[in-house]
Amino acid sequence: MTLSAQNWLEKIHGLPLDRRVRIMNVCGGHERSITMAGIRSALPKTVELIAGPGCPVCVCPEEDVYQAIQLALRADVILVAFGDMLRVPVNVPKREVRSLEQAKAAGADIRPIASPREAVRIAQHNPERAVVFFAAGFETTTAPVAAMLLEGVPDNLFVLLSGRRTWPAVAMLLNSDTPGFDGLVAPGHVSTVMGPEEWNFVIEKHGIPTAVAGFKPVSLLAAMYSVLRQLLEGERFLDNCYPELVRPGGNRSAQAQIAQALDDTDANWRGIGVIPASGFALNPSFSGNDARTQYPDFDTEGRKRAGQMPPGCECASVVLGKINPNECKIYGRACTPKTPVGPCMVSDEGACRIWWAAGVRTNAATSPENGPTADVG
């Protein structure tokens, strides 16, 4: 018999939980579904759901966004990027251009796109212009970039790659003194591409129960039940609660394309720091289409520094699951979707933006009912 979301909720409420359990998700789509469906408030009070590092826009390094802005303003290129990137602010004085959206308003030729194929099409339609594709994202959006490169791209198309791998950020948390969670709901789309086996280390090395989930409440609740039951019964295994799309081994073709076109590299995560082997770089065989190689004067190595979030912004703590979005001191005050201070309020996958869209409009400091156990959604 196929269980409904209500059935899974009843099973969760039937578990003899005698202590607080913290379950982390590392997918912006998961956080959106959890929040919009009101799952937090439907669970037992002993279960706390934490939004982890699941927003690629939020962790895209400040220096990469700055470099994209400068290329668009000073290199006479057409710059294309996924739509969420256009409003991400950088740390410059307010009198200067602080986002790609502002650069566009200042006259730069910046165009939002939804897929790498659009970048290729724009380059083909503008052979006399250089086109720079600012490609930020996790494995699910980086894999199509690799496929695009292997299929062949116009000579006038250059890629400014800011791709990130999801699992190293979770490994970094687990290797810290305060990982902050007891169970993990692993991302469905990433597992579809890279295979669920990428998450075995969470169980094997750290003894933390893990379940892969899809994006509907029934899959998410099934994964949460699995994690909670594993904790209670002392079992530890990787449970696949998204079998309709996640297969053992993942998408071998996509993995082969990533391996052929891209190299693993240590990478900076905005406000967090460098995480070993957590990023992608273009393989040297594609240096002719690498914006970092072809536009070396715009490399912004000097901008790499601690504290990359704007003053007062605690987006890094939100991304790491250390605080809830509305526990940031400027949430709902200086920082709103109309006036976003940090990237977590910009992206549709940012936890701050998601919580705001779900109706949490006040800061936890002034509204205690909107704290960690808030009825979000």
Side-chain angles (χ1 to χ4, degrees), residues 250-268:
N251 187 329
R252 302 289 191 187
S253 175
Q255 292 168 32
Q257 291 171 332
I258 289 174
Q260 186 176 347
L262 309 175
D263 294 332
D264 293 346
T265 184
D266 298 345
N268 191 25

Side-chain angles (χ1 to χ4, degrees), residues 23-27 30 181-188 191 196 199-200 202-203 208-214 219-230 236-243 246:
I23 301 175
M24 175 176 280
N25 75 77
V26 288
C27 171
H30 282 175
F181 60 97
D182 308 293
L184 179 70
V185 174
S191 298
W199 301 101
N200 277 330
V202 182
I203 300 104
I208 291 180
T210 302
V212 177
S219 180
L220 286 161
L221 288 166
M224 293 171 196
Y225 175 77
S226 175
V227 166
L228 292 168
R229 184 172 175 177
Q230 288 181 54
R236 297 293 184 270
F237 61 91
L238 178 64
D239 198 359
N240 181 8
C241 298
Y242 196 28
V246 175

Side-chain angles (χ1 to χ4, degrees), residues 64-81:
D64 287 4
V65 182
Y66 182 83
Q67 184 172 359
I69 291 170
Q70 297 308 308
L71 278 167
L73 287 172
R74 298 164 47 205
D76 188 29
V77 302
I78 300 172
L79 189 130
V80 300

Side-chain angles (χ1 to χ4, degrees), residues 19-377:
R19 66 179 180 89
R20 178 168 291 277
V21 177
R22 291 162 61 89
I23 301 175
M24 175 176 280
N25 75 77
V26 288
C27 171
H30 282 175
E31 180 60 26
R32 188 185 306 110
S33 296
I34 287 167
T35 303
M36 295 306 180
I39 289 177
R40 278 188 177 84
S41 60
L43 292 172
K45 297 296 184 183
T46 49
V47 179
E48 182 179 353
L49 303 182
I50 306 165
C55 170
V57 171
C58 303
V59 302
C60 181
E62 194 264 4
E63 65 266 18
D64 287 4
V65 182
Y66 182 83
Q67 184 172 359
I69 291 170
Q70 297 308 308
L71 278 167
L73 287 172
R74 298 164 47 205
D76 188 29
V77 302
I78 300 172
L79 189 130
V80 300
F82 298 126
D84 273 5
M85 294 305 307
L86 268 60
R87 298 186 68 211
V88 175
V90 296
N91 299 334
V92 297
K94 289 187 177 181
R95 65 180 179 275
E96 297 182 24
V97 173
R98 304 180 68 233
S99 68
L100 287 168
E101 186 177 64
Q102 290 184 7
K104 180 178 175 66
D109 191 344
I110 297 173
R111 309 180 190 184
I113 59 172
S115 74
R117 291 189 181 278
E118 290 184 56
V120 172
R121 191 157 50 246
I122 290 170
Q124 290 171 335
H125 291 169
N126 297 272
E128 76 291 350
R129 302 277 307 278
V131 177
V132 174
F133 175 18
F134 181 27
F138 287 150
E139 295 94 330
T140 46
T141 50
T142 303
V145 175
M148 175 195 76
L149 289 166
L150 292 172
E151 289 172 3
V153 298
D155 291 340
N156 63 323
L157 178 59
F158 306 96
V159 179
L160 179 62
L161 184 63
S162 190
R164 297 292 179 269
R165 299 171 65 89
T166 313
W167 72 262
V170 176
M172 180 268 296
L173 283 172
L174 290 172
N175 289 328
S176 70
D177 294 332
T178 54
F181 60 97
D182 308 293
L184 179 70
V185 174
H189 280 169
V190 171
S191 298
T192 300
V193 176
M194 306 305 294
E197 296 82 3
E198 273 205 330
W199 301 101
N200 277 330
F201 79 94
V202 182
I203 300 104
E204 295 170 355
K205 185 177 180 181
H206 301 281
I208 291 180
T210 302
V212 177
F215 300 86
K216 294 182 179 180
V218 65
S219 180
L220 286 161
L221 288 166
M224 293 171 196
Y225 175 77
S226 175
V227 166
L228 292 168
R229 184 172 175 177
Q230 288 181 54
L231 283 169
L232 285 170
E233 298 182 357
E235 295 181 272
R236 297 293 184 270
F237 61 91
L238 178 64
D239 198 359
N240 181 8
C241 298
Y242 196 28
E244 56 268 38
L245 285 183
V246 175
R247 302 283 191 271
N251 187 329
R252 302 289 191 187
S253 175
Q255 292 168 32
Q257 291 171 332
I258 289 174
Q260 186 176 347
L262 309 175
D263 294 332
D264 293 346
T265 184
D266 298 345
N268 191 25
W269 292 51
R270 187 171 187 177
I272 297 170
V274 175
I275 301 177
S278 65
F280 294 106
L282 267 63
N283 183 279
S285 62
F286 293 99
S287 62
N289 295 102
D290 191 338
R292 299 184 191 280
T293 301
Q294 298 302 316
Y295 293 93
D297 293 344
F298 292 88
D299 187 7
T300 50
E301 183 72 26
R303 294 190 66 83
K304 294 182 181 179
R305 61 190 186 279
Q308 294 179 344
M309 293 298 175
C313 174
E314 296 179 88
C315 184
S317 294
V318 172
V319 166
L320 293 175
K322 303 298 185 184
I323 63 172
N324 284 304
N326 65 330
E327 293 176 289
C328 173
K329 296 179 182 64
I330 60 174
Y331 178 94
R333 296 170 173 171
C335 187
T336 70
K338 287 186 177 179
T339 57
V341 175
C344 291
M345 190 61 87
V346 172
S347 172
D348 288 340
E349 293 190 333
C352 295
R353 180 66 174 266
I354 291 168
W355 279 45
W356 183 276
V360 180
R361 303 294 171 85
T362 53
N363 193 283
T366 56
S367 182
E369 70 273 13
N370 283 327
T373 56
D375 185 1
V376 180

